[in-house]
């Protein structure tokens, strides 16, 4: 007899590792009733974002379900970091073609691993039969007014990034078995695989940023596209210097043209792109001393659009459609 | 050129009818940034529920997209009513096989209609290409401690329901073109069609209930299955009298066996099933005078499980798997 949906939920999703991964003070009522109840502290706001993942669109068909579980939550939680919010909880809307116990065991294990890393509790969800679709809605909290929005950048601010670019796209090349450069070591491949399947969410750094950054977001659609969003929402222009973009030694194994394309438009990096008032420039060294690999990659200017300096003059990306993230976008 | 995803969102989902349908004081930041920000008043809790809808599982393939838009939000919001929460906002995770403008126009129109009826603002979402899947996460608010849970029923309480049963299943029979009884008028068919595609969410009545009900939930999986959930969570038994179940005149056109089966196990009714302490019995007449069609259908007893009185003794439904709602369940 195939497992019923209630039994499925009970067996794979009702675990301490998933239900109690986050701050237990915040969850007044979790899985088991019609809806979950979250406490929100006075002076704080609830921060909410939804993502869905579809096979062959957001991840290749050849995957390990534990990897998928980790990635589903991490990618969604990145939007909390992008708001300078503390992750709290999440719901899961899981549509599955059939009840595959091995798949579910792996998926829930990977999900629990991400929940533990991010300190987020599973508080509810829905399981349905149909073509594979993974919907994750994440909840965080932020002190009212401390949120990092896209619309606060001013001309003169520095444009900065919280980690290397291009690894998400290079990681996809590794996991889909594309031709790889000869110099890429097994350690490099491991690193890139992890960067694709287990993106690190910089939410702790996001909390730091909220104190000083004038605007920010996470790089999910690719640097140029996301810089475009920030420029548009802030009503400013952004100048980016290609030579200043940080890259991993693994990415450095690819020819410059491929490497640069991935750093500029690859997507799936989940690092934070933010603007910093000049007066806060000394903060950069404080962060670096604390181990955050922050890099200044350009500056905010008047006007509009994104301008790239490849070393031989500025090219504009204003109005370009940007990278469309395998065909999805967050609203 | 096919419409880009950003353009799609802008055109069909960024409207005043969707973004400002609810209490504007509650939404600190809506669509357009990495995440939405919701205000939660001191002394209140955030109430959260997620539902997904899949073609041929939750709705027939022969549908009008406006109907689907309405139903997607109403079904999800019913879980807020079931917690005695006030609806506030929602996110939409929409996976579509292709950009079909007529489909999207209808869907967003139906969605906006439900948003207006329920006073809920669209605050974010995700659009993705893939097999049709509609994920809705709803947010409400409830005063801390005023929530209506499943676990508060006590022996001696009355078991009540907020509206007729069986119309959801009869509505599905109408919309899928099944053989209909001869006595069913065109007005009956219209009524049942509406009951399926535009279920009325009894959230205002839910707010009333929170003051006196000892436990409650919404009937989505079918009366016996949902009564089983309430009995289990409360650690009590429930006795239901078949003769007392309220039904519409439209449902009355079907033969008794079919009619009874739908009232007991049909699902998709989205009325509230709740338990009321005896001391609050006078409240029933107050509600009826205010136009709420409340019916006492049984009582809470010691022990466990659900017992049905068909007029010739009690049958138990304890331990029965219950109706599995086309193969999905909420956790």
């Amino acid at each position: 007899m195939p497992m019923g949906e209630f039994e499925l939920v009970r067996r794979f999703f009702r675990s301490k590792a998933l239900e109690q991964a986050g701050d237990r003070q915040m969850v007044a009522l979790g899985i088991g009733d019609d809806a979950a109840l979250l406490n929100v502290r006075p002076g704080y706001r609830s921060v909410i974002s939804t993502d869905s993942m579809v096979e062959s669109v957001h991840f290749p068909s050849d995957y390990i379900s534990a990897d998928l579980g980790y990635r589903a939550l991490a990618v969604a939680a990145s939007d909390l970091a992008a708001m300078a919010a503390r992750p709290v909880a999440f719901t899961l809307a899981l549509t599955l073609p059939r009840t595959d116990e091995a798949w579910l065991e792996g998926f829930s294990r990977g999900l629990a691993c991400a929940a533990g890393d991010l300190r987020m509790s599973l508080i509810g969800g829905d399981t349905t039969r149909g073509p594979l679709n993974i919907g994750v809605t994440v909840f965080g909290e932020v002190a009212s007014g401390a949120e990092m929005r896209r619309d606060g950048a001013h001309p003169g601010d520095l444009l900065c990034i919280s980690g290397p670019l291009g690894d998400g796209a290079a990681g996809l090349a590794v996991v889909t078995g594309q031709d790889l450069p000869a110099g890429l070591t097994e350690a490099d491949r491991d690193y890139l695989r992890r960067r694709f399947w287990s993106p690190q969410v910089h939410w702790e750094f996001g909390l730091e940023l909220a104190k000083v950054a004038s605007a920010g977001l996470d790089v999910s659609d690719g640097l140029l596209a996301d810089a475009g969003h920030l420029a548009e929402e802030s009503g400013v222009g952004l100048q980016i210097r290609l030579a200043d973009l940080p890259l991993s030694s693994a990415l450095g194994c690819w020819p410059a043209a491929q490497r640069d394309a991935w750093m500029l438009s690859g997507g799936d990096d989940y690092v934070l792109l933010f603007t910093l008032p000049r007066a806060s420039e000394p903060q950069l060294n404080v962060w670096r001393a604390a181990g955050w690999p922050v890099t200044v990659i350009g500056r905010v200017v008047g006007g509009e659009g994104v301008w790239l300096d490849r070393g031989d003059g500025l090219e504009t990306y204003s109005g370009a459609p940007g990278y469309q993230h395998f065909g999805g976008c967050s609203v």
Side-chain angles (χ1 to χ4, degrees), chain A:
Chain A
M1 195 179 85
M3 205 185 319
E5 304 292 328
F6 287 92
E7 175 59 19
L8 179 160
V9 168
R10 196 161 294 165
R11 181 145 159 219
F12 295 107
F13 296 107
R14 300 218 58 174
S15 65
K16 193 173 163 186
L18 278 167
E19 295 190 77
Q20 299 181 12
D23 182 344
R24 292 168 63 179
Q25 301 278 318
M26 302 296 289
V27 180
L29 186 65
I31 298 177
D33 213 301
D34 293 287
L37 297 173
L38 273 193
N39 293 319
V40 179
R41 294 182 288 171
Y44 282 74
R45 282 171 172 156
S46 197
V47 187
I48 296 156
S49 180
T50 289
D51 269 310
S52 21
M53 281 173 52
V54 174
E55 191 171 323
S56 305
V57 176
H58 296 95
F59 55 92
S61 297
D62 177 22
Y63 64 87
I64 297 167
S65 66
D67 284 338
L68 194 59
Y70 196 103
R71 181 170 159 83
L73 182 55
V75 164
S78 179
D79 283 320
L80 297 179
M83 297 299 285
R86 183 170 75 100
V88 170
F90 67 105
T91 61
L92 172 69
L94 186 59
T95 306
L96 286 176
R98 65 194 157 277
T99 306
D100 176 335
E101 297 191 27
W103 191 98
L104 279 158
E105 187 281 321
F107 181 82
S108 65
R109 187 161 36 83
L111 193 70
C113 186
D117 285 354
L118 290 158
R119 298 179 220 161
M120 299 178 80
S121 300
L122 179 63
I123 57 169
D126 194 18
T127 61
T128 310
R129 203 163 300 278
L132 182 60
N133 193 300
I134 301 159
V136 174
T137 303
V138 292
F139 308 94
E141 66 158 19
V142 69
S144 297
E147 57 269 7
M148 183 167 70
R149 298 168 56 148
R150 297 179 173 183
D151 61 0
H154 293 286
D157 291 353
L158 299 170
L159 182 67
C160 311
I161 198 132
S162 72
L165 289 161
D167 285 348
L172 182 64
V174 171
V175 303
T176 53
Q178 292 176 30
D179 282 342
L180 301 177
L184 204 69
T185 65
E186 187 51 41
D188 287 335
R189 281 196 288 272
D190 272 354
Y191 163 82
L192 291 171
R193 236 181 251 119
R194 276 199 312 279
R195 290 276 290 151
F196 182 80
W197 284 118
S198 312
Q200 295 308 294
V201 179
H202 296 190
W203 68 269
E204 284 150 312
F205 184 60
L207 294 186
E208 289 297 310
L209 272 184
K211 300 170 191 164
V212 286
S214 50
L217 42 55
D218 66 323
V219 178
S220 51
D221 297 340
L223 177 66
L224 292 175
D226 287 311
H229 300 150
L230 196 151
E232 187 179 349
E233 293 295 328
S234 289
V236 296
L238 294 177
Q239 287 185 4
I240 295 173
R241 272 175 48 91
L242 179 62
D244 291 342
L245 300 185
L247 77 167
S248 65
S249 60
L251 188 67
C253 296
W254 268 272
Q258 179 64 83
R259 197 178 72 195
D260 291 350
W262 280 341
M263 284 197 292
L264 292 169
S265 313
D268 280 313
D269 284 320
Y270 304 107
V271 292
L272 299 176
L273 177 70
F274 60 96
T275 57
L276 193 68
R278 277 275 179 191
S280 299
E281 195 169 354
Q283 189 63 40
L284 291 168
N285 286 326
V286 177
W287 287 329
R288 286 173 189 141
W292 296 109
V294 190
T295 310
V296 178
I297 62 168
R299 61 199 185 98
V300 183
V301 295
E304 61 180 32
V306 178
W307 299 79
L308 180 68
D309 179 358
R310 290 187 184 266
D312 52 3
L314 292 172
E315 297 168 16
T316 181
Y317 285 85
S318 171
Y323 186 77
Q324 295 253 341
H325 188 54
F326 303 122
C329 82
S330 291
V331 293

